[in-house]
Amino acid sequence: MKTMEAAMAKTPQAYFQEVARYKTEPLWMRLAEVLTNEPPVRALPCLWRYADIRPLLLRAGELLTAAEAERRVLMLMNPGLEGEVAATQTLYAGLQLILPSEIAPTHRHSPAAFRFIVEGEGAYTSVNGERLIMHPGDLILTPAWAWHDHGNETDAPTVWLDGLDVPLVKGLGAVFAQPYAAGTHPVARPDNASLGLYGAGGMLPLGAAHDGPHSPLPIYPWKQARTALEQAGAPTTPHDGVIFEYVNPLTGGPIFPTMSAYVQMLRPGEQTRRHRHMSSHVMHVVSGSGVSIIGDARLEWRAKDTFAQPGWMWHEHRNLSASELAFLFSFSDRPVLERCGLYREEDRGPQG
Ligand SMILES: [Fe+2]
Ligand SMILES: [Fe+2]
């Protein structure tokens, strides 16, 4: 600040006007703004209650069809990001509804997407002609530039959480999207065919190869995730309880180059140790109830709620129940930060 004031005093006003005329600006006047000691966190910790949003989503179902809307979604907007389509600085989240007999038309886009199923049994997402059948708690991927549509041949509404890397891809100026010219992509393979190939648990087809940067496994069933968590027994990290990452079975790496996804379990009364990291996360409560302290905010969550945990903010989670397990799904931008050498993590220790 002192440097800036001294520089200001020594620089004639006319100089600033003259450099501006040539579309330049003195860095020395804005150095502290450009190179901050720590990242300024614009996103806010924020909770979206399913009990508030579900009725509004169902009302949207009365107002317009899935075909009319193309995607009938209520986006989760972070109030710190001033109208940007973003739940955190890099991640998009939304709740999508599809009613019985509806099909959300086929399209594709360069941002990668996944669905985490919140309610409804038996609807599907079709990815490049393979239908992936939805059950609550399943994670279904639609990688960048893959044709996809959603259909509901059941007699109940289906809702899922959409997660996309839209803010990140938009920041890179790399958003492309395209509708499928012929309406709906034809069915090209048996339902869940890729689950048989890549989801056999520790086994892969001999010589399996895959040319994309994303996981070849497009569906991660809840049943497997829950079994893994329950069988783990002890916490896998002091900051998360028992936590597993959904991985690409060919590489052991994240599901997408831009986003990783996790599922975690907090035992009754369990309190995690406070820490912070560069990655931002959107957290979704599968079941149970608890509280997360994120920065100065105290977010009390219940089943099916979703909340934003901005990057570089101290946070801790607690299962408030004395008898019930709490299960949380989350996704983050960690792969990008790690790949770019920008990932950092700090532990505030047991006293927090
Ligand atoms: Fe899409
Ligand atoms: Fe964390």
Side-chain angles (χ1 to χ4, degrees):
M1 200 55 153
K2 269 187 185 153
T3 321
M4 198 173 86
E5 278 163 16
M8 187 80 170
K10 291 180 87 170
T11 315
Q13 203 55 36
Y15 179 78
F16 292 116
Q17 286 159 4
E18 201 174 339
V19 295
R21 194 148 28 110
Y22 297 99
K23 297 177 280 297
T24 63
E25 214 182 305
L27 172 61
W28 61 90
M29 295 303 295
R30 296 182 67 175
L31 195 55
E33 178 195 331
V34 175
L35 295 174
T36 52
N37 291 346
E38 293 203 2
V41 183
R42 290 194 300 125
L44 293 171
C46 176
L47 176 73
W48 294 275
R49 290 195 186 286
Y50 193 59
D52 296 333
I53 296 170
R54 187 179 188 274
L56 294 168
L57 205 46
L58 289 174
R59 225 161 79 211
E62 293 162 14
L63 297 172
L64 73 181
T65 66
E68 282 166 345
E70 187 163 335
R71 294 297 184 265
R72 194 197 287 113
V73 178
L74 284 175
M75 302 187 293
L76 308 186
M77 305 285 279
N78 192 296
L81 298 174
E82 296 152 5
E84 286 171 39
V85 173
T88 75
Q89 235 160 285
T90 51
L91 305 170
Y92 162 104
L95 286 165
Q96 179 158 178
L97 167 72
I98 186 146
L99 292 170
S101 310
E102 286 189 326
I103 295 180
T106 310
H107 71 188
R108 64 179 177 179
H109 36 74
S110 54
F114 64 77
R115 334 283 156 195
F116 187 82
I117 315 310
V118 180
E119 68 170 80
E121 291 268 359
Y124 66 86
T125 281
S126 172
V127 180
N128 290 329
E130 178 180 336
R131 286 183 175 184
L132 305 158
I133 310 301
M134 299 174 165
H135 303 282
D138 289 353
L139 174 68
I140 294 177
L141 312 188
T142 58
W145 214 237
W147 292 114
H148 57 281
D149 50 76
H150 313 293
N152 186 352
E153 293 173 351
T154 77
D155 53 10
T158 294
V159 178
W160 62 80
L161 175 74
D162 281 321
L164 286 91
D165 51 14
V166 163
L168 182 71
V169 177
K170 196 168 176 226
L172 294 169
V175 175
F176 292 86
Q178 190 181 25
Y180 189 68
T184 306
H185 193 290
V187 172
R189 281 184 295 283
D191 295 353
N192 282 4
S194 301
L195 178 60
L197 275 180
Y198 295 104
M203 291 192 294
L204 288 167
L206 189 62
H210 174 65
D211 57 2
H214 56 270
S215 172
L217 179 61
I219 181 163
Y220 295 74
W222 173 247
K223 225 189 268 180
Q224 288 177 8
R226 182 169 180 139
T227 303
L229 290 169
E230 287 183 333
Q231 289 184 347
T236 51
T237 84
H239 305 110
D240 305 286
V242 179
I243 186 163
F244 277 70
E245 181 178 355
Y246 295 88
V247 296
N248 176 335
L250 291 181
T251 63
I255 51 169
F256 290 132
T258 48
M259 290 189 290
S260 50
Y262 311 87
V263 64
Q264 74 192 87
M265 180 179 84
L266 300 174
R267 292 163 299 161
E270 183 166 359
Q271 159 86 55
T272 65
R273 195 157 83 181
R274 193 187 306 183
H275 75 157
R276 66 176 175 177
H277 35 73
M278 273 317 303
S279 53
S280 65
H281 292 243
V282 173
M283 314 280 294
H284 175 79
V285 187
V286 183
S287 66
S289 59
V291 62
S292 295
I293 314 289
I294 305 173
D296 297 329
R298 179 188 159 86
L299 306 179
E300 279 206 37
W301 39 260
R302 287 191 294 264
K304 298 182 167 47
D305 290 348
T306 305
F307 57 98
Q309 180 186 287
W312 209 233
M313 242 181 215
W314 295 106
H315 58 274
E316 59 192 83
H317 310 293
R318 181 147 51 100
N319 181 348
L320 286 177
S321 168
S323 55
E324 254 187 83
L325 295 165
F327 291 96
L328 295 156
F329 165 80
S330 65
F331 63 102
S332 90
D333 52 3
R334 183 168 171 165
V336 181
L337 293 158
E338 283 190 329
R339 188 62 72 88
C340 298
L342 296 170
Y343 186 78
R344 292 185 187 208
E345 192 170 331
E346 280 183 6
D347 175 16
R348 199 173 231 188
Q351 303 311 316

PDB file of all heavy atoms in Angstrom, residues 117-130:
ATOM      1  N   ILE A 117     -27.996 -39.506  -8.689  1.00  0.00           N
ATOM      2  CA  ILE A 117     -29.447 -39.692  -8.639  1.00  0.00           C
ATOM      3  C   ILE A 117     -29.975 -39.432  -7.223  1.00  0.00           C
ATOM      4  O   ILE A 117     -29.494 -40.017  -6.251  1.00  0.00           O
ATOM      5  CB  ILE A 117     -29.850 -41.113  -9.113  1.00  0.00           C
ATOM      6  CG1 ILE A 117     -29.096 -41.500 -10.396  1.00  0.00           C
ATOM      7  CG2 ILE A 117     -31.365 -41.190  -9.298  1.00  0.00           C
ATOM      8  CD1 ILE A 117     -29.125 -40.497 -11.530  1.00  0.00           C
ATOM      9  N   VAL A 118     -30.978 -38.546  -7.144  1.00  0.00           N
ATOM     10  CA  VAL A 118     -31.534 -38.128  -5.850  1.00  0.00           C
ATOM     11  C   VAL A 118     -32.813 -38.901  -5.538  1.00  0.00           C
ATOM     12  O   VAL A 118     -32.993 -39.398  -4.430  1.00  0.00           O
ATOM     13  CB  VAL A 118     -31.808 -36.606  -5.840  1.00  0.00           C
ATOM     14  CG1 VAL A 118     -32.393 -36.159  -4.511  1.00  0.00           C
ATOM     15  CG2 VAL A 118     -30.518 -35.828  -6.113  1.00  0.00           C
ATOM     16  N   GLU A 119     -33.724 -39.007  -6.510  1.00  0.00           N
ATOM     17  CA  GLU A 119     -34.915 -39.828  -6.290  1.00  0.00           C
ATOM     18  C   GLU A 119     -35.435 -40.384  -7.606  1.00  0.00           C
ATOM     19  O   GLU A 119     -35.234 -39.786  -8.661  1.00  0.00           O
ATOM     20  CB  GLU A 119     -36.001 -39.039  -5.556  1.00  0.00           C
ATOM     21  CG  GLU A 119     -36.632 -37.900  -6.338  1.00  0.00           C
ATOM     22  CD  GLU A 119     -37.873 -37.329  -5.632  1.00  0.00           C
ATOM     23  OE1 GLU A 119     -37.710 -36.538  -4.695  1.00  0.00           O
ATOM     24  OE2 GLU A 119     -39.012 -37.661  -6.039  1.00  0.00           O
ATOM     25  N   GLY A 120     -36.104 -41.545  -7.515  1.00  0.00           N
ATOM     26  CA  GLY A 120     -36.661 -42.193  -8.708  1.00  0.00           C
ATOM     27  C   GLY A 120     -35.848 -43.434  -9.073  1.00  0.00           C
ATOM     28  O   GLY A 120     -34.616 -43.419  -9.006  1.00  0.00           O
ATOM     29  N   GLU A 121     -36.542 -44.490  -9.445  1.00  0.00           N
ATOM     30  CA  GLU A 121     -35.913 -45.773  -9.798  1.00  0.00           C
ATOM     31  C   GLU A 121     -36.239 -46.110 -11.238  1.00  0.00           C
ATOM     32  O   GLU A 121     -37.420 -46.136 -11.589  1.00  0.00           O
ATOM     33  CB  GLU A 121     -36.528 -46.914  -8.947  1.00  0.00           C
ATOM     34  CG  GLU A 121     -36.200 -46.902  -7.488  1.00  0.00           C
ATOM     35  CD  GLU A 121     -34.963 -47.724  -7.167  1.00  0.00           C
ATOM     36  OE1 GLU A 121     -34.390 -48.323  -8.109  1.00  0.00           O
ATOM     37  OE2 GLU A 121     -34.585 -47.742  -5.987  1.00  0.00           O
ATOM     38  N   GLY A 122     -35.235 -46.354 -12.060  1.00  0.00           N
ATOM     39  CA  GLY A 122     -35.493 -46.955 -13.363  1.00  0.00           C
ATOM     40  C   GLY A 122     -35.499 -46.016 -14.559  1.00  0.00           C
ATOM     41  O   GLY A 122     -35.624 -46.480 -15.689  1.00  0.00           O
ATOM     42  N   ALA A 123     -35.392 -44.696 -14.357  1.00  0.00           N
ATOM     43  CA  ALA A 123     -35.221 -43.810 -15.523  1.00  0.00           C
ATOM     44  C   ALA A 123     -33.806 -44.035 -16.071  1.00  0.00           C
ATOM     45  O   ALA A 123     -33.035 -44.823 -15.502  1.00  0.00           O
ATOM     46  CB  ALA A 123     -35.422 -42.359 -15.101  1.00  0.00           C
ATOM     47  N   TYR A 124     -33.470 -43.371 -17.164  1.00  0.00           N
ATOM     48  CA  TYR A 124     -32.142 -43.624 -17.734  1.00  0.00           C
ATOM     49  C   TYR A 124     -31.514 -42.356 -18.291  1.00  0.00           C
ATOM     50  O   TYR A 124     -32.210 -41.390 -18.618  1.00  0.00           O
ATOM     51  CB  TYR A 124     -32.224 -44.677 -18.857  1.00  0.00           C
ATOM     52  CG  TYR A 124     -33.009 -44.205 -20.061  1.00  0.00           C
ATOM     53  CD1 TYR A 124     -32.405 -43.470 -21.078  1.00  0.00           C
ATOM     54  CD2 TYR A 124     -34.375 -44.461 -20.185  1.00  0.00           C
ATOM     55  CE1 TYR A 124     -33.124 -43.008 -22.162  1.00  0.00           C
ATOM     56  CE2 TYR A 124     -35.103 -44.005 -21.269  1.00  0.00           C
ATOM     57  CZ  TYR A 124     -34.474 -43.275 -22.259  1.00  0.00           C
ATOM     58  OH  TYR A 124     -35.192 -42.802 -23.335  1.00  0.00           O
ATOM     59  N   THR A 125     -30.180 -42.364 -18.363  1.00  0.00           N
ATOM     60  CA  THR A 125     -29.434 -41.434 -19.203  1.00  0.00           C
ATOM     61  C   THR A 125     -28.833 -42.287 -20.301  1.00  0.00           C
ATOM     62  O   THR A 125     -28.279 -43.349 -20.018  1.00  0.00           O
ATOM     63  CB  THR A 125     -28.309 -40.757 -18.400  1.00  0.00           C
ATOM     64  OG1 THR A 125     -28.872 -39.719 -17.612  1.00  0.00           O
ATOM     65  CG2 THR A 125     -27.271 -40.133 -19.307  1.00  0.00           C
ATOM     66  N   SER A 126     -28.970 -41.854 -21.536  1.00  0.00           N
ATOM     67  CA  SER A 126     -28.368 -42.593 -22.634  1.00  0.00           C
ATOM     68  C   SER A 126     -27.108 -41.846 -23.074  1.00  0.00           C
ATOM     69  O   SER A 126     -27.164 -40.641 -23.341  1.00  0.00           O
ATOM     70  CB  SER A 126     -29.374 -42.686 -23.789  1.00  0.00           C
ATOM     71  OG  SER A 126     -28.737 -43.244 -24.904  1.00  0.00           O
ATOM     72  N   VAL A 127     -25.968 -42.542 -23.099  1.00  0.00           N
ATOM     73  CA  VAL A 127     -24.706 -41.921 -23.509  1.00  0.00           C
ATOM     74  C   VAL A 127     -24.199 -42.638 -24.756  1.00  0.00           C
ATOM     75  O   VAL A 127     -23.931 -43.846 -24.707  1.00  0.00           O
ATOM     76  CB  VAL A 127     -23.651 -41.984 -22.377  1.00  0.00           C
ATOM     77  CG1 VAL A 127     -22.349 -41.338 -22.826  1.00  0.00           C
ATOM     78  CG2 VAL A 127     -24.175 -41.303 -21.126  1.00  0.00           C
ATOM     79  N   ASN A 128     -24.131 -41.901 -25.848  1.00  0.00           N
ATOM     80  CA  ASN A 128     -23.742 -42.481 -27.144  1.00  0.00           C
ATOM     81  C   ASN A 128     -24.521 -43.763 -27.441  1.00  0.00           C
ATOM     82  O   ASN A 128     -23.967 -44.751 -27.937  1.00  0.00           O
ATOM     83  CB  ASN A 128     -22.231 -42.743 -27.193  1.00  0.00           C
ATOM     84  CG  ASN A 128     -21.440 -41.446 -27.238  1.00  0.00           C
ATOM     85  OD1 ASN A 128     -21.898 -40.433 -27.785  1.00  0.00           O
ATOM     86  ND2 ASN A 128     -20.251 -41.447 -26.644  1.00  0.00           N
ATOM     87  N   GLY A 129     -25.801 -43.755 -27.083  1.00  0.00           N
ATOM     88  CA  GLY A 129     -26.672 -44.884 -27.424  1.00  0.00           C
ATOM     89  C   GLY A 129     -26.691 -46.009 -26.399  1.00  0.00           C
ATOM     90  O   GLY A 129     -27.312 -47.035 -26.641  1.00  0.00           O
ATOM     91  N   GLU A 130     -26.015 -45.842 -25.268  1.00  0.00           N
ATOM     92  CA  GLU A 130     -26.071 -46.863 -24.209  1.00  0.00           C
ATOM     93  C   GLU A 130     -26.881 -46.309 -23.036  1.00  0.00           C
ATOM     94  O   GLU A 130     -26.502 -45.299 -22.438  1.00  0.00           O
ATOM     95  CB  GLU A 130     -24.665 -47.230 -23.739  1.00  0.00           C
ATOM     96  CG  GLU A 130     -24.682 -48.247 -22.597  1.00  0.00           C
ATOM     97  CD  GLU A 130     -23.271 -48.607 -22.122  1.00  0.00           C
ATOM     98  OE1 GLU A 130     -22.309 -48.455 -22.901  1.00  0.00           O
ATOM     99  OE2 GLU A 130     -23.162 -49.037 -20.960  1.00  0.00           O
TER     100      GLU A 130
END
